[in-house]
Amino acid sequence: QVSELVQFLLVKDQKKIPIKRADMLKNIIREYRNAYSEIVKRADRTLQEVFGLQLVEIDTKRHMYILINKLPHAEGQHLCRGKEKEKMGLLLVILSFIFMKGNSVKDSALWEFLHLLRVYPGKQHSVFGDVRKLVTEEFVRQKYLETTPIPLTDPPEFKYQWGPRAEKETSKKDVLNFVAKMQGKDPTFWASQYSEAQAN
Amino acid sequence: MAAQMTNAHRRFLQVLMSNGITEGSEARKLHQHCCETDKVYYAHDKLDDFIGTINSHLQPLFMQIRKGISEDDGRAHYAVVNLAETEVTKMASDYTEIELELFRKTMDLIILSENGFASSTDILNLADQLKTKKMKKKEAEQVLKVFVEDKWLSEKNGEYTLHTRCIIEMEQYILSNYQDVARKCNICHSLAIQSQVCESCGIGMHLPCVRKYFRGQTEPRCPKCNEFWSCDTP
């Protein structure tokens, strides 16, 4: 049972779509409902021990889970999971922007920022393809970004924040260090972000 | 006596899983990078032991890092496989019912063929006869393209055969479900999809295995029946 659940989770996680507890119950555990929490605990332990992944609940109301990578981030082309290196690069830049701007940005501000990097919502990008789709759909679906409509705006505007997967897989400290490195400054240069990152 | 898993092992496994299939020299480089990154003892000739440690932990999960030899160039490749005999779980979740049916029928054609290839014409004709729902030729062409991109099939001159990845992952499944038809190489005893066959006694061998076996021999003869080997040695 544990091995079936582990395989189920690995397969679901490949697509980075959050896993619902209902699906876990339906697909795998069937007769063993009573032992559900024990089975999940053991599956998590196996995932950590063998794969370096951890099962984390990101929505306690709707009982949704994701697998996060527990291994410390590594440099190097070879070591990135999948061909996602470029997408993750873009994501990191977006997460940094959001953090530096106080953890929430309007969509118009985000696109203005991306313009500076020559990434345009209307144009096909040579590496990222349909960037608008990547940012507003894929990153949101994968729970890296969270988008909420801003009330009383017409045409409707949205704000972007870190999603639960970003919260679990990265830290504000890492992001601040990244920004500092990019700009050749010390992280303490940004006093309020620095203290926020330390507290995180 | 299983050694402990370290982060280097876990990282190696994660990358192998997301690659689908990893070629031998890539795997060796990866082994080195993982050990260096996670500060684990590294010896360049210990890849098999390294993989062995991972496998001992994968065994209770019915998974394994398996090494397979490419039928084209004889080079080693590694893939993480599911040892259960049912169809690969990974494939089942990536494609629709109808796509899976097309794949299964294509696999039939390939395995039943003389040379391990199925022409695109034959496969497209199959698309018409699918039980689940008829598939238009254009759609089938697209699906075939995806199968090639995902490394389940490989294409050469308009003909399709099983990709090394597919053979590594599905060897058990194929050997048990195509028991009477699937050929095993006389030299290495693994599943042979593309093979040369002896005209007299019918045994088959992988092309790279033929190459190795007949190296330097001016008069190649069948290892079983000793008749002249009629095919061109590669």
Side-chain angles (χ1 to χ4, degrees), chain A residues 3 7 11 15 46 48-53 69 71-72 74 78-79 81-82, chain B residues 5 7 10-11 13-15 17-18 30 33 37 58 60-61 63 82 93-94:
Chain A
S3 58
Q7 292 216 16
V11 170
K15 319 227 184 75
T46 305
Q48 291 194 46
E49 176 63 31
V50 182
F51 298 90
L53 301 170
N69 197 341
L71 300 179
H78 306 264
L79 302 175
R81 280 226 279 167
Chain B
M5 291 276 292
N7 275 347
R10 295 181 188 111
R11 202 182 290 279
L13 178 58
Q14 280 192 18
V15 177
M17 279 173 56
S18 66
L30 181 62
H33 276 101
T37 305
L58 285 178
L61 303 171
M63 292 168 71
N82 184 330
S93 73
D94 282 341

PDB file of all heavy atoms in Angstrom, chain A residues 3 7 11 15 46 48-53 69 71-72 74 78-79 81-82, chain B residues 5 7 10-11 13-15 17-18 30 33 37 58 60-61 63 82 93-94:
ATOM      1  N   SER A   3       3.924   1.523  -0.987  1.00  0.00           N
ATOM      2  CA  SER A   3       4.646   1.664  -2.254  1.00  0.00           C
ATOM      3  C   SER A   3       3.732   2.139  -3.360  1.00  0.00           C
ATOM      4  O   SER A   3       4.130   2.934  -4.208  1.00  0.00           O
ATOM      5  CB  SER A   3       5.331   0.357  -2.640  1.00  0.00           C
ATOM      6  OG  SER A   3       4.372  -0.664  -2.743  1.00  0.00           O
ATOM      7  N   GLN A   7       4.272   5.667  -5.489  1.00  0.00           N
ATOM      8  CA  GLN A   7       4.289   5.753  -6.950  1.00  0.00           C
ATOM      9  C   GLN A   7       3.242   6.724  -7.454  1.00  0.00           C
ATOM     10  O   GLN A   7       3.510   7.536  -8.350  1.00  0.00           O
ATOM     11  CB  GLN A   7       4.027   4.379  -7.550  1.00  0.00           C
ATOM     12  CG  GLN A   7       5.159   3.427  -7.297  1.00  0.00           C
ATOM     13  CD  GLN A   7       5.392   2.489  -8.439  1.00  0.00           C
ATOM     14  OE1 GLN A   7       4.912   2.718  -9.538  1.00  0.00           O
ATOM     15  NE2 GLN A   7       6.135   1.431  -8.193  1.00  0.00           N
ATOM     16  N   VAL A  11       4.070  10.133  -9.645  1.00  0.00           N
ATOM     17  CA  VAL A  11       3.518  10.370 -10.975  1.00  0.00           C
ATOM     18  C   VAL A  11       2.757  11.698 -11.023  1.00  0.00           C
ATOM     19  O   VAL A  11       2.929  12.491 -11.933  1.00  0.00           O
ATOM     20  CB  VAL A  11       2.605   9.204 -11.398  1.00  0.00           C
ATOM     21  CG1 VAL A  11       1.847   9.558 -12.659  1.00  0.00           C
ATOM     22  CG2 VAL A  11       3.412   7.953 -11.610  1.00  0.00           C
ATOM     23  N   LYS A  15       3.799  16.374 -12.866  1.00  0.00           N
ATOM     24  CA  LYS A  15       3.134  17.453 -13.564  1.00  0.00           C
ATOM     25  C   LYS A  15       2.961  18.679 -12.677  1.00  0.00           C
ATOM     26  O   LYS A  15       2.380  19.676 -13.081  1.00  0.00           O
ATOM     27  CB  LYS A  15       1.751  17.005 -14.048  1.00  0.00           C
ATOM     28  CG  LYS A  15       1.765  15.621 -14.594  1.00  0.00           C
ATOM     29  CD  LYS A  15       1.047  15.534 -15.917  1.00  0.00           C
ATOM     30  CE  LYS A  15       0.996  14.109 -16.364  1.00  0.00           C
ATOM     31  NZ  LYS A  15       0.001  13.348 -15.598  1.00  0.00           N
ATOM     32  N   THR A  46       9.265   7.554   3.288  1.00  0.00           N
ATOM     33  CA  THR A  46       9.953   6.909   2.174  1.00  0.00           C
ATOM     34  C   THR A  46      10.370   7.942   1.132  1.00  0.00           C
ATOM     35  O   THR A  46      11.497   7.921   0.633  1.00  0.00           O
ATOM     36  CB  THR A  46       9.033   5.876   1.488  1.00  0.00           C
ATOM     37  OG1 THR A  46       8.590   4.971   2.475  1.00  0.00           O
ATOM     38  CG2 THR A  46       9.765   5.131   0.401  1.00  0.00           C
ATOM     39  N   GLN A  48      11.066  11.004   1.551  1.00  0.00           N
ATOM     40  CA  GLN A  48      12.198  11.802   2.031  1.00  0.00           C
ATOM     41  C   GLN A  48      13.475  10.986   2.013  1.00  0.00           C
ATOM     42  O   GLN A  48      14.504  11.457   1.558  1.00  0.00           O
ATOM     43  CB  GLN A  48      11.926  12.300   3.448  1.00  0.00           C
ATOM     44  CG  GLN A  48      10.829  13.331   3.494  1.00  0.00           C
ATOM     45  CD  GLN A  48      10.787  14.071   4.812  1.00  0.00           C
ATOM     46  OE1 GLN A  48      11.819  14.509   5.319  1.00  0.00           O
ATOM     47  NE2 GLN A  48       9.599  14.217   5.367  1.00  0.00           N
ATOM     48  N   GLU A  49      13.372   9.764   2.508  1.00  0.00           N
ATOM     49  CA  GLU A  49      14.540   8.918   2.659  1.00  0.00           C
ATOM     50  C   GLU A  49      15.162   8.539   1.315  1.00  0.00           C
ATOM     51  O   GLU A  49      16.374   8.577   1.139  1.00  0.00           O
ATOM     52  CB  GLU A  49      14.130   7.662   3.438  1.00  0.00           C
ATOM     53  CG  GLU A  49      15.193   6.617   3.612  1.00  0.00           C
ATOM     54  CD  GLU A  49      16.390   7.087   4.408  1.00  0.00           C
ATOM     55  OE1 GLU A  49      16.215   7.942   5.297  1.00  0.00           O
ATOM     56  OE2 GLU A  49      17.512   6.631   4.113  1.00  0.00           O
ATOM     57  N   VAL A  50      14.289   8.169   0.360  1.00  0.00           N
ATOM     58  CA  VAL A  50      14.798   7.640  -0.901  1.00  0.00           C
ATOM     59  C   VAL A  50      14.910   8.707  -1.985  1.00  0.00           C
ATOM     60  O   VAL A  50      15.838   8.702  -2.778  1.00  0.00           O
ATOM     61  CB  VAL A  50      13.898   6.488  -1.411  1.00  0.00           C
ATOM     62  CG1 VAL A  50      14.432   5.899  -2.700  1.00  0.00           C
ATOM     63  CG2 VAL A  50      13.793   5.395  -0.358  1.00  0.00           C
ATOM     64  N   PHE A  51      13.945   9.647  -2.031  1.00  0.00           N
ATOM     65  CA  PHE A  51      13.919  10.586  -3.144  1.00  0.00           C
ATOM     66  C   PHE A  51      14.304  12.010  -2.762  1.00  0.00           C
ATOM     67  O   PHE A  51      14.471  12.851  -3.620  1.00  0.00           O
ATOM     68  CB  PHE A  51      12.521  10.615  -3.777  1.00  0.00           C
ATOM     69  CG  PHE A  51      12.095   9.296  -4.359  1.00  0.00           C
ATOM     70  CD1 PHE A  51      11.413   8.377  -3.583  1.00  0.00           C
ATOM     71  CD2 PHE A  51      12.399   8.968  -5.656  1.00  0.00           C
ATOM     72  CE1 PHE A  51      11.034   7.143  -4.099  1.00  0.00           C
ATOM     73  CE2 PHE A  51      12.015   7.743  -6.191  1.00  0.00           C
ATOM     74  CZ  PHE A  51      11.335   6.831  -5.416  1.00  0.00           C
ATOM     75  N   GLY A  52      14.365  12.287  -1.450  1.00  0.00           N
ATOM     76  CA  GLY A  52      14.655  13.653  -1.042  1.00  0.00           C
ATOM     77  C   GLY A  52      13.494  14.585  -1.313  1.00  0.00           C
ATOM     78  O   GLY A  52      13.676  15.775  -1.550  1.00  0.00           O
ATOM     79  N   LEU A  53      12.270  14.046  -1.308  1.00  0.00           N
ATOM     80  CA  LEU A  53      11.075  14.858  -1.522  1.00  0.00           C
ATOM     81  C   LEU A  53      10.212  14.796  -0.275  1.00  0.00           C
ATOM     82  O   LEU A  53      10.239  13.817   0.455  1.00  0.00           O
ATOM     83  CB  LEU A  53      10.258  14.320  -2.701  1.00  0.00           C
ATOM     84  CG  LEU A  53      10.953  14.256  -4.048  1.00  0.00           C
ATOM     85  CD1 LEU A  53      10.105  13.489  -5.043  1.00  0.00           C
ATOM     86  CD2 LEU A  53      11.225  15.651  -4.569  1.00  0.00           C
ATOM     87  N   ASN A  69      10.983  19.657  -3.027  1.00  0.00           N
ATOM     88  CA  ASN A  69      12.326  19.115  -3.083  1.00  0.00           C
ATOM     89  C   ASN A  69      13.076  19.514  -1.825  1.00  0.00           C
ATOM     90  O   ASN A  69      13.243  20.697  -1.545  1.00  0.00           O
ATOM     91  CB  ASN A  69      13.025  19.686  -4.316  1.00  0.00           C
ATOM     92  CG  ASN A  69      14.242  18.882  -4.680  1.00  0.00           C
ATOM     93  OD1 ASN A  69      14.760  18.135  -3.863  1.00  0.00           O
ATOM     94  ND2 ASN A  69      14.688  19.034  -5.909  1.00  0.00           N
ATOM     95  N   LEU A  71      16.177  18.641  -1.212  1.00  0.00           N
ATOM     96  CA  LEU A  71      17.620  18.730  -1.414  1.00  0.00           C
ATOM     97  C   LEU A  71      18.015  20.188  -1.557  1.00  0.00           C
ATOM     98  O   LEU A  71      17.314  20.961  -2.201  1.00  0.00           O
ATOM     99  CB  LEU A  71      18.025  17.966  -2.672  1.00  0.00           C
ATOM    100  CG  LEU A  71      17.699  16.488  -2.670  1.00  0.00           C
ATOM    101  CD1 LEU A  71      18.136  15.864  -3.975  1.00  0.00           C
ATOM    102  CD2 LEU A  71      18.387  15.787  -1.510  1.00  0.00           C
ATOM    103  N   PRO A  72      19.150  20.575  -0.984  1.00  0.00           N
ATOM    104  CA  PRO A  72      19.596  21.959  -1.137  1.00  0.00           C
ATOM    105  C   PRO A  72      19.803  22.283  -2.617  1.00  0.00           C
ATOM    106  O   PRO A  72      20.299  21.454  -3.367  1.00  0.00           O
ATOM    107  CB  PRO A  72      20.909  22.004  -0.354  1.00  0.00           C
ATOM    108  CG  PRO A  72      21.279  20.606  -0.063  1.00  0.00           C
ATOM    109  CD  PRO A  72      20.055  19.777  -0.159  1.00  0.00           C
ATOM    110  N   ALA A  74      21.150  23.376  -6.126  1.00  0.00           N
ATOM    111  CA  ALA A  74      22.503  23.207  -6.641  1.00  0.00           C
ATOM    112  C   ALA A  74      22.668  23.956  -7.943  1.00  0.00           C
ATOM    113  O   ALA A  74      21.727  24.116  -8.702  1.00  0.00           O
ATOM    114  CB  ALA A  74      22.784  21.732  -6.852  1.00  0.00           C
ATOM    115  N   HIS A  78      23.305  20.084 -15.142  1.00  0.00           N
ATOM    116  CA  HIS A  78      22.950  18.677 -15.012  1.00  0.00           C
ATOM    117  C   HIS A  78      21.949  18.415 -13.902  1.00  0.00           C
ATOM    118  O   HIS A  78      21.253  17.425 -13.903  1.00  0.00           O
ATOM    119  CB  HIS A  78      24.193  17.829 -14.682  1.00  0.00           C
ATOM    120  CG  HIS A  78      25.302  18.020 -15.629  1.00  0.00           C
ATOM    121  ND1 HIS A  78      25.523  17.180 -16.688  1.00  0.00           N
ATOM    122  CD2 HIS A  78      26.260  18.962 -15.698  1.00  0.00           C
ATOM    123  CE1 HIS A  78      26.584  17.592 -17.356  1.00  0.00           C
ATOM    124  NE2 HIS A  78      27.042  18.660 -16.792  1.00  0.00           N
ATOM    125  N   LEU A  79      21.963  19.318 -12.920  1.00  0.00           N
ATOM    126  CA  LEU A  79      21.294  18.953 -11.683  1.00  0.00           C
ATOM    127  C   LEU A  79      19.866  19.447 -11.576  1.00  0.00           C
ATOM    128  O   LEU A  79      19.193  19.170 -10.602  1.00  0.00           O
ATOM    129  CB  LEU A  79      22.114  19.468 -10.487  1.00  0.00           C
ATOM    130  CG  LEU A  79      23.540  18.927 -10.473  1.00  0.00           C
ATOM    131  CD1 LEU A  79      24.326  19.546  -9.349  1.00  0.00           C
ATOM    132  CD2 LEU A  79      23.530  17.424 -10.324  1.00  0.00           C
ATOM    133  N   ARG A  81      15.972  19.553 -12.134  1.00  0.00           N
ATOM    134  CA  ARG A  81      14.950  18.571 -12.479  1.00  0.00           C
ATOM    135  C   ARG A  81      14.316  18.956 -13.793  1.00  0.00           C
ATOM    136  O   ARG A  81      13.753  20.018 -13.932  1.00  0.00           O
ATOM    137  CB  ARG A  81      13.883  18.554 -11.381  1.00  0.00           C
ATOM    138  CG  ARG A  81      14.280  17.770 -10.177  1.00  0.00           C
ATOM    139  CD  ARG A  81      13.179  16.867  -9.702  1.00  0.00           C
ATOM    140  NE  ARG A  81      12.172  17.529  -8.913  1.00  0.00           N
ATOM    141  CZ  ARG A  81      11.004  16.987  -8.615  1.00  0.00           C
ATOM    142  NH1 ARG A  81      10.709  15.791  -9.040  1.00  0.00           N
ATOM    143  NH2 ARG A  81      10.129  17.653  -7.917  1.00  0.00           N
ATOM    144  N   GLY A  82      14.447  18.086 -14.742  1.00  0.00           N
ATOM    145  CA  GLY A  82      13.789  18.332 -16.028  1.00  0.00           C
ATOM    146  C   GLY A  82      14.410  19.474 -16.805  1.00  0.00           C
ATOM    147  O   GLY A  82      15.432  20.027 -16.452  1.00  0.00           O
TER     148      GLY A  82
ATOM    149  N   MET B   5      21.498   5.953   1.993  1.00  0.00           N
ATOM    150  CA  MET B   5      21.243   6.926   0.933  1.00  0.00           C
ATOM    151  C   MET B   5      21.767   8.274   1.421  1.00  0.00           C
ATOM    152  O   MET B   5      21.505   8.675   2.545  1.00  0.00           O
ATOM    153  CB  MET B   5      19.737   7.075   0.684  1.00  0.00           C
ATOM    154  CG  MET B   5      19.043   5.896   0.074  1.00  0.00           C
ATOM    155  SD  MET B   5      19.153   5.817  -1.721  1.00  0.00           S
ATOM    156  CE  MET B   5      18.192   7.198  -2.256  1.00  0.00           C
ATOM    157  N   ASN B   7      22.275  12.562   0.148  1.00  0.00           N
ATOM    158  CA  ASN B   7      21.646  13.510  -0.765  1.00  0.00           C
ATOM    159  C   ASN B   7      22.167  13.345  -2.190  1.00  0.00           C
ATOM    160  O   ASN B   7      21.461  13.597  -3.151  1.00  0.00           O
ATOM    161  CB  ASN B   7      21.869  14.949  -0.294  1.00  0.00           C
ATOM    162  CG  ASN B   7      20.837  15.376   0.732  1.00  0.00           C
ATOM    163  OD1 ASN B   7      19.826  14.703   0.930  1.00  0.00           O
ATOM    164  ND2 ASN B   7      21.078  16.489   1.410  1.00  0.00           N
ATOM    165  N   ARG B  10      20.057  10.765  -3.710  1.00  0.00           N
ATOM    166  CA  ARG B  10      18.695  11.265  -3.956  1.00  0.00           C
ATOM    167  C   ARG B  10      18.678  12.192  -5.155  1.00  0.00           C
ATOM    168  O   ARG B  10      17.759  12.158  -5.971  1.00  0.00           O
ATOM    169  CB  ARG B  10      18.180  12.004  -2.722  1.00  0.00           C
ATOM    170  CG  ARG B  10      18.019  11.103  -1.522  1.00  0.00           C
ATOM    171  CD  ARG B  10      17.496  11.834  -0.306  1.00  0.00           C
ATOM    172  NE  ARG B  10      17.546  10.940   0.843  1.00  0.00           N
ATOM    173  CZ  ARG B  10      18.364  11.087   1.875  1.00  0.00           C
ATOM    174  NH1 ARG B  10      19.180  12.114   1.928  1.00  0.00           N
ATOM    175  NH2 ARG B  10      18.359  10.204   2.852  1.00  0.00           N
ATOM    176  N   ARG B  11      19.696  13.028  -5.250  1.00  0.00           N
ATOM    177  CA  ARG B  11      19.750  13.983  -6.355  1.00  0.00           C
ATOM    178  C   ARG B  11      19.892  13.232  -7.674  1.00  0.00           C
ATOM    179  O   ARG B  11      19.213  13.530  -8.655  1.00  0.00           O
ATOM    180  CB  ARG B  11      20.932  14.944  -6.160  1.00  0.00           C
ATOM    181  CG  ARG B  11      20.788  16.232  -6.909  1.00  0.00           C
ATOM    182  CD  ARG B  11      22.001  17.116  -6.708  1.00  0.00           C
ATOM    183  NE  ARG B  11      22.116  17.657  -5.376  1.00  0.00           N
ATOM    184  CZ  ARG B  11      21.456  18.726  -4.946  1.00  0.00           C
ATOM    185  NH1 ARG B  11      20.626  19.345  -5.753  1.00  0.00           N
ATOM    186  NH2 ARG B  11      21.632  19.160  -3.733  1.00  0.00           N
ATOM    187  N   LEU B  13      18.953  10.237  -8.346  1.00  0.00           N
ATOM    188  CA  LEU B  13      17.676   9.594  -8.638  1.00  0.00           C
ATOM    189  C   LEU B  13      16.661  10.594  -9.181  1.00  0.00           C
ATOM    190  O   LEU B  13      15.966  10.317 -10.155  1.00  0.00           O
ATOM    191  CB  LEU B  13      17.139   8.929  -7.361  1.00  0.00           C
ATOM    192  CG  LEU B  13      15.780   8.239  -7.443  1.00  0.00           C
ATOM    193  CD1 LEU B  13      15.778   7.165  -8.506  1.00  0.00           C
ATOM    194  CD2 LEU B  13      15.411   7.623  -6.099  1.00  0.00           C
ATOM    195  N   GLN B  14      16.577  11.778  -8.566  1.00  0.00           N
ATOM    196  CA  GLN B  14      15.622  12.782  -9.040  1.00  0.00           C
ATOM    197  C   GLN B  14      15.887  13.149 -10.492  1.00  0.00           C
ATOM    198  O   GLN B  14      14.970  13.236 -11.306  1.00  0.00           O
ATOM    199  CB  GLN B  14      15.732  14.056  -8.190  1.00  0.00           C
ATOM    200  CG  GLN B  14      15.007  13.987  -6.869  1.00  0.00           C
ATOM    201  CD  GLN B  14      14.887  15.344  -6.206  1.00  0.00           C
ATOM    202  OE1 GLN B  14      15.041  16.376  -6.853  1.00  0.00           O
ATOM    203  NE2 GLN B  14      14.615  15.365  -4.920  1.00  0.00           N
ATOM    204  N   VAL B  15      17.166  13.365 -10.825  1.00  0.00           N
ATOM    205  CA  VAL B  15      17.482  13.772 -12.197  1.00  0.00           C
ATOM    206  C   VAL B  15      17.205  12.634 -13.171  1.00  0.00           C
ATOM    207  O   VAL B  15      16.643  12.832 -14.246  1.00  0.00           O
ATOM    208  CB  VAL B  15      18.947  14.241 -12.315  1.00  0.00           C
ATOM    209  CG1 VAL B  15      19.279  14.597 -13.747  1.00  0.00           C
ATOM    210  CG2 VAL B  15      19.190  15.440 -11.419  1.00  0.00           C
ATOM    211  N   MET B  17      15.001  10.331 -12.916  1.00  0.00           N
ATOM    212  CA  MET B  17      13.565  10.214 -13.076  1.00  0.00           C
ATOM    213  C   MET B  17      13.022  11.279 -14.003  1.00  0.00           C
ATOM    214  O   MET B  17      12.152  11.009 -14.826  1.00  0.00           O
ATOM    215  CB  MET B  17      12.867  10.308 -11.716  1.00  0.00           C
ATOM    216  CG  MET B  17      12.913   9.001 -10.977  1.00  0.00           C
ATOM    217  SD  MET B  17      12.275   9.103  -9.299  1.00  0.00           S
ATOM    218  CE  MET B  17      10.667   9.740  -9.582  1.00  0.00           C
ATOM    219  N   SER B  18      13.538  12.502 -13.888  1.00  0.00           N
ATOM    220  CA  SER B  18      12.966  13.535 -14.735  1.00  0.00           C
ATOM    221  C   SER B  18      13.510  13.465 -16.159  1.00  0.00           C
ATOM    222  O   SER B  18      12.859  13.928 -17.087  1.00  0.00           O
ATOM    223  CB  SER B  18      13.188  14.912 -14.139  1.00  0.00           C
ATOM    224  OG  SER B  18      14.548  15.197 -14.130  1.00  0.00           O
ATOM    225  N   LEU B  30      26.871  12.893 -14.156  1.00  0.00           N
ATOM    226  CA  LEU B  30      25.889  13.222 -13.122  1.00  0.00           C
ATOM    227  C   LEU B  30      26.338  12.678 -11.772  1.00  0.00           C
ATOM    228  O   LEU B  30      26.240  13.347 -10.750  1.00  0.00           O
ATOM    229  CB  LEU B  30      24.533  12.637 -13.507  1.00  0.00           C
ATOM    230  CG  LEU B  30      23.380  12.915 -12.550  1.00  0.00           C
ATOM    231  CD1 LEU B  30      23.122  14.395 -12.458  1.00  0.00           C
ATOM    232  CD2 LEU B  30      22.125  12.182 -13.003  1.00  0.00           C
ATOM    233  N   HIS B  33      28.935  14.984 -10.445  1.00  0.00           N
ATOM    234  CA  HIS B  33      28.376  16.252  -9.963  1.00  0.00           C
ATOM    235  C   HIS B  33      27.627  16.103  -8.658  1.00  0.00           C
ATOM    236  O   HIS B  33      27.728  16.952  -7.782  1.00  0.00           O
ATOM    237  CB  HIS B  33      27.441  16.848 -11.017  1.00  0.00           C
ATOM    238  CG  HIS B  33      28.167  17.636 -12.054  1.00  0.00           C
ATOM    239  ND1 HIS B  33      28.455  17.152 -13.293  1.00  0.00           N
ATOM    240  CD2 HIS B  33      28.688  18.872 -12.002  1.00  0.00           C
ATOM    241  CE1 HIS B  33      29.134  18.060 -13.969  1.00  0.00           C
ATOM    242  NE2 HIS B  33      29.288  19.113 -13.222  1.00  0.00           N
ATOM    243  N   THR B  37      28.596  18.033  -5.343  1.00  0.00           N
ATOM    244  CA  THR B  37      27.659  19.000  -4.762  1.00  0.00           C
ATOM    245  C   THR B  37      27.331  18.654  -3.320  1.00  0.00           C
ATOM    246  O   THR B  37      27.266  19.523  -2.468  1.00  0.00           O
ATOM    247  CB  THR B  37      26.345  19.012  -5.550  1.00  0.00           C
ATOM    248  OG1 THR B  37      26.648  19.252  -6.912  1.00  0.00           O
ATOM    249  CG2 THR B  37      25.408  20.069  -5.025  1.00  0.00           C
ATOM    250  N   LEU B  58      15.078   1.180  -3.552  1.00  0.00           N
ATOM    251  CA  LEU B  58      13.919   1.243  -4.455  1.00  0.00           C
ATOM    252  C   LEU B  58      13.178  -0.093  -4.506  1.00  0.00           C
ATOM    253  O   LEU B  58      12.011  -0.156  -4.875  1.00  0.00           O
ATOM    254  CB  LEU B  58      14.375   1.610  -5.872  1.00  0.00           C
ATOM    255  CG  LEU B  58      14.767   3.065  -6.110  1.00  0.00           C
ATOM    256  CD1 LEU B  58      15.246   3.253  -7.542  1.00  0.00           C
ATOM    257  CD2 LEU B  58      13.603   3.992  -5.839  1.00  0.00           C
ATOM    258  N   PRO B  60      11.833  -2.246  -2.306  1.00  0.00           N
ATOM    259  CA  PRO B  60      10.519  -2.404  -1.662  1.00  0.00           C
ATOM    260  C   PRO B  60       9.414  -1.577  -2.319  1.00  0.00           C
ATOM    261  O   PRO B  60       8.239  -1.794  -2.051  1.00  0.00           O
ATOM    262  CB  PRO B  60      10.755  -1.918  -0.220  1.00  0.00           C
ATOM    263  CG  PRO B  60      12.127  -1.390  -0.160  1.00  0.00           C
ATOM    264  CD  PRO B  60      12.857  -1.736  -1.385  1.00  0.00           C
ATOM    265  N   LEU B  61       9.786  -0.639  -3.207  1.00  0.00           N
ATOM    266  CA  LEU B  61       8.787   0.152  -3.908  1.00  0.00           C
ATOM    267  C   LEU B  61       8.524  -0.405  -5.307  1.00  0.00           C
ATOM    268  O   LEU B  61       7.840   0.227  -6.103  1.00  0.00           O
ATOM    269  CB  LEU B  61       9.266   1.602  -4.043  1.00  0.00           C
ATOM    270  CG  LEU B  61       9.614   2.308  -2.744  1.00  0.00           C
ATOM    271  CD1 LEU B  61      10.274   3.641  -3.025  1.00  0.00           C
ATOM    272  CD2 LEU B  61       8.363   2.516  -1.916  1.00  0.00           C
ATOM    273  N   MET B  63      10.528  -0.553  -7.720  1.00  0.00           N
ATOM    274  CA  MET B  63      11.156   0.282  -8.741  1.00  0.00           C
ATOM    275  C   MET B  63      12.629  -0.078  -8.816  1.00  0.00           C
ATOM    276  O   MET B  63      13.189  -0.662  -7.882  1.00  0.00           O
ATOM    277  CB  MET B  63      11.018   1.770  -8.371  1.00  0.00           C
ATOM    278  CG  MET B  63       9.590   2.259  -8.436  1.00  0.00           C
ATOM    279  SD  MET B  63       9.396   3.870  -7.688  1.00  0.00           S
ATOM    280  CE  MET B  63      10.215   4.906  -8.850  1.00  0.00           C
ATOM    281  N   ASN B  82       9.458   0.719 -13.412  1.00  0.00           N
ATOM    282  CA  ASN B  82       8.474   0.153 -12.522  1.00  0.00           C
ATOM    283  C   ASN B  82       8.491  -1.349 -12.756  1.00  0.00           C
ATOM    284  O   ASN B  82       8.337  -1.802 -13.882  1.00  0.00           O
ATOM    285  CB  ASN B  82       7.125   0.750 -12.933  1.00  0.00           C
ATOM    286  CG  ASN B  82       6.011   0.320 -12.024  1.00  0.00           C
ATOM    287  OD1 ASN B  82       6.048  -0.756 -11.458  1.00  0.00           O
ATOM    288  ND2 ASN B  82       5.029   1.176 -11.899  1.00  0.00           N
ATOM    289  N   SER B  93      -0.596   7.708 -17.279  1.00  0.00           N
ATOM    290  CA  SER B  93      -1.172   8.967 -16.813  1.00  0.00           C
ATOM    291  C   SER B  93      -0.889  10.124 -17.756  1.00  0.00           C
ATOM    292  O   SER B  93      -1.433  11.193 -17.601  1.00  0.00           O
ATOM    293  CB  SER B  93      -0.625   9.301 -15.432  1.00  0.00           C
ATOM    294  OG  SER B  93       0.713   9.721 -15.567  1.00  0.00           O
ATOM    295  N   ASP B  94      -0.035   9.905 -18.741  1.00  0.00           N
ATOM    296  CA  ASP B  94       0.304  10.997 -19.637  1.00  0.00           C
ATOM    297  C   ASP B  94      -0.521  11.033 -20.906  1.00  0.00           C
ATOM    298  O   ASP B  94      -0.506  12.013 -21.629  1.00  0.00           O
ATOM    299  CB  ASP B  94       1.784  10.912 -20.060  1.00  0.00           C
ATOM    300  CG  ASP B  94       2.698  11.424 -18.974  1.00  0.00           C
ATOM    301  OD1 ASP B  94       2.209  12.145 -18.083  1.00  0.00           O
ATOM    302  OD2 ASP B  94       3.890  11.104 -19.016  1.00  0.00           O
TER     303      ASP B  94
END
